[in-house]
Amino acid sequence: MNGTESASEIVTAVKTGAATARAVVELALTRIRQHDGRLGAFTDLVAERAQRTADAVDAGPKGPLAGVPFAVKNLFDVEGLVTRAGSKINRENAPATRDATLVTRLEAAGAILVGALNMGEYAYDFTGENAHDGASRNPHNLDHMSGGSSGGSGSAVAAGLVPLALGSDTNGSIRAPSSLCGLFGLKPTYGRLSRAHTFPFVASLDHLGPLARTTRDLALSYDAMQGFDEADPGLTKRPLEPTESRLKHPIPTGRIAVADGYFKGEGVASAAVAHVAAALGVSRSISLPDVPAARAAAYLITMVEGASLHLDRLRTRPQDFDPDVRDRLLAGAMLPGVWVQRAQKLRRVYRDAVVKLFDDVDVILAPSTPMQAPRLGQKTAMFNGVELPVRPNMGVFTQPISFIGLPVVSVPVWLGGESLPIGVQVIAAPWREDIALRVAYQLEEMGAVRAPVAKEFADG
């Protein structure tokens, strides 16, 4: 083993005795120490804990994720670590006294936590740049952004430091780094996976989910994290609905459509969707209603709820925020409450209209990001011929989907002649993560999408 194996490959090796969990973890820790100085993906390592957990895995029964190293965005509680949420202010808090629910569930399945990951401050970011911990860099080109706000998650998995990482997605923060770093990322249905014992951003929009280099690894981790948790009041009571065992069941081409109009995109974003559609034999298109208004409403709710959460900190410690984050939160604090009421009404109407589309299709395809990874420090870019700020606009295609909580798998596309990847959203109806994963698996099996370890980090 060279340390860049997928989660499913590691499980096979550990279960067959070809490798021990302890050896896998030691190799992961070695690679992190060797490479992370250039990447900036990790903020904390929990080496002793990882070694103890690995020894327990080797001594006991082997679960579905036996021996798999994983790491989590540093807004997840990890016992003994301060939950930074990417901020300067939070690191003065006491260490967490327990793990987040999803960490507990992954370890119950045999996975092994190795550390916490860099992120945009308070998750209000699409770049992967952090004013306090530095940028998490794109492993495919270290001069470019990893995407945010789960930038460290994207960077760590794309560099092969871990095969699996957890992130959060409020407006696109799993899908953006998945797109820019060339990974498979799953944003599940809103209310599907527990958010208990994590630091929130916008409670009415927050999702948690995995990033990985294969669809099967996404499915294995998602299946392990399912289940009701009374500690998350937003979680829906649903039975376990395994997905990994159903990956090989294809979705008929006639039940897949490309989102047109607002989602058409340009340049490589448009070409990536066309590439995926051609691979699947899809020629059908479909229109989502009132998307610009939906994105504006999502933006408004984000600004106001985010500002409300941080109001006391804004009043007492404004100098300790990333200035870009602080200014956006301050703007949200000044918006009238009646606007939020109107935005929530639009949300209900928009959700009903979009969900109705799934009477005729199973999957809708759309770009994940409007472009490949911008350069670190780049403040503006061209969006449909208009120069706009990068940070708030990388979510132009993801925000209208998470706004209504639909499940999405972002799949990584490498277009001919391009040195950086870009993602395509595979969007399904509520609670149909299995369908999105099955289409992603189809694409992966036919070679239309792939998530290689970045060349610079692929040889150990």
Side-chain angles (χ1 to χ4, degrees):
M1 302 184 75
N2 70 358
T4 62
E5 289 78 13
S6 69
S8 57
E9 288 171 336
I10 291 169
V11 171
T12 298
V14 170
K15 285 187 174 182
T16 61
T20 65
R22 179 64 179 256
V24 171
V25 161
E26 293 291 1
L27 186 52
L29 293 171
T30 296
R31 283 180 54 78
I32 293 165
R33 291 173 179 133
Q34 178 183 356
H35 295 302
D36 193 55
R38 290 184 294 156
L39 287 165
F42 280 81
T43 53
D44 305 89
L45 280 182
V46 290
E48 292 184 4
R49 166 181 169 153
Q51 291 160 344
R52 290 194 304 270
T53 307
D55 289 342
V57 170
D58 286 331
K62 305 297 185 282
L65 288 169
V68 174
F70 75 102
V72 297
K73 189 173 182 175
N74 68 29
L75 57 69
F76 286 75
D77 283 358
V78 173
E79 185 179 2
L81 294 184
V82 174
T83 307
R84 301 188 190 197
S87 70
K88 177 181 179 180
I89 296 171
N90 274 36
R91 66 193 65 196
E92 298 175 9
N93 295 344
T97 58
R98 59 160 296 167
D99 294 332
T101 295
L102 297 190
V103 173
T104 300
R105 288 181 176 172
L106 286 179
E107 289 206 327
I112 301 164
L113 181 72
V114 297
L117 297 161
N118 200 355
M119 60 175 283
E121 184 180 73
Y122 291 126
Y124 209 169
D125 169 62
F126 274 124
T127 69
E129 297 173 317
N130 184 286
H132 317 295
D133 293 309
S136 53
R137 295 173 179 267
N138 192 315
H140 297 290
N141 188 321
L142 296 175
D143 293 328
H144 288 251
M145 296 175 182
S146 61
S149 61
S150 307
S153 303
S155 184
V157 177
L161 303 188
V162 287
L164 179 68
L166 297 187
S168 68
D169 190 311
T170 302
N171 292 305
S173 288
I174 287 172
R175 290 161 290 163
S178 294
S179 178
L180 301 192
C181 291
L183 300 171
F184 295 91
L186 170 63
K187 184 203 78 63
T189 309
Y190 180 83
R192 189 49 163 130
L193 295 183
S194 174
R195 301 170 300 179
H197 312 294
T198 63
F199 196 90
F201 174 26
V202 180
S204 65
L205 298 173
D206 289 345
H207 309 66
L208 304 178
L211 298 84
R213 294 192 304 276
T214 74
T215 308
R216 189 178 180 206
D217 288 358
L218 282 189
L220 284 168
S221 60
Y222 170 69
D223 289 353
M225 292 187 288
Q226 290 185 47
F228 183 66
D229 179 9
E230 62 183 11
D232 180 358
L235 201 63
T236 302
K237 275 190 176 180
R238 289 183 67 86
L240 301 183
E241 296 170 302
T243 60
E244 192 271 335
S245 60
R246 304 186 65 193
L247 288 177
K248 295 182 180 180
H249 297 229
I251 301 299
T253 295
R255 297 287 299 178
I256 304 173
V258 173
D260 62 12
Y262 175 96
F263 289 98
K264 191 171 183 179
E266 60 180 357
V268 291
S270 176
V273 174
H275 169 82
V276 166
L280 293 168
V282 173
S283 58
R284 183 179 181 183
S285 62
I286 197 167
S287 294
L288 279 67
D290 300 322
V291 182
R295 188 194 174 217
Y299 206 93
L300 180 67
I301 292 168
T302 298
M303 293 177 71
V304 173
E305 282 197 34
S308 176
L309 178 66
H310 295 288
L311 200 54
D312 287 343
R313 284 179 281 270
L314 289 167
R315 286 170 172 157
T316 59
R317 300 185 62 173
Q319 73 282 0
D320 290 329
F321 282 83
D322 175 342
D324 287 336
V325 173
R326 179 194 61 216
D327 292 350
R328 295 171 77 189
L329 291 171
L330 286 172
M334 293 184 280
L335 294 174
V338 67
W339 289 10
V340 178
Q341 291 180 325
R342 292 174 182 171
Q344 293 287 15
K345 289 179 180 178
L346 174 66
R347 186 183 187 182
R348 289 191 291 272
V349 172
Y350 174 68
R351 183 186 185 280
D352 290 345
V354 173
V355 169
K356 183 69 176 173
L357 298 177
F358 289 101
D359 290 344
D360 296 321
V361 298
D362 291 322
V363 162
I364 299 172
L365 305 174
S368 295
T369 53
M371 62 192 65
Q372 295 151 306
R375 296 183 70 86
L376 287 168
Q378 183 176 333
K379 297 298 184 184
T380 64
M382 299 303 293
F383 294 81
N384 286 327
V386 180
E387 187 174 8
L388 295 171
V390 167
R391 184 175 286 217
N393 287 294
M394 287 300 284
V396 63
F397 297 129
T398 54
Q399 198 162 20
I401 306 304
S402 45
F403 180 49
I404 51 175
L406 299 180
V408 186
V409 174
S410 181
V411 297
V413 175
W414 291 85
L415 296 169
E418 297 290 338
S419 61
L420 289 170
I422 189 167
V424 171
Q425 294 184 89
V426 179
I427 306 162
W431 318 114
R432 295 314 306 264
E433 287 81 0
D434 67 305
I435 288 179
L437 287 163
R438 285 155 62 189
V439 171
Y441 184 80
Q442 283 178 252
L443 289 163
E444 186 181 6
E445 285 294 288
M446 64 178 65
V449 301
R450 57 190 178 91
V453 173
K455 291 179 181 178
E456 189 170 343
F457 303 92
D459 296 324

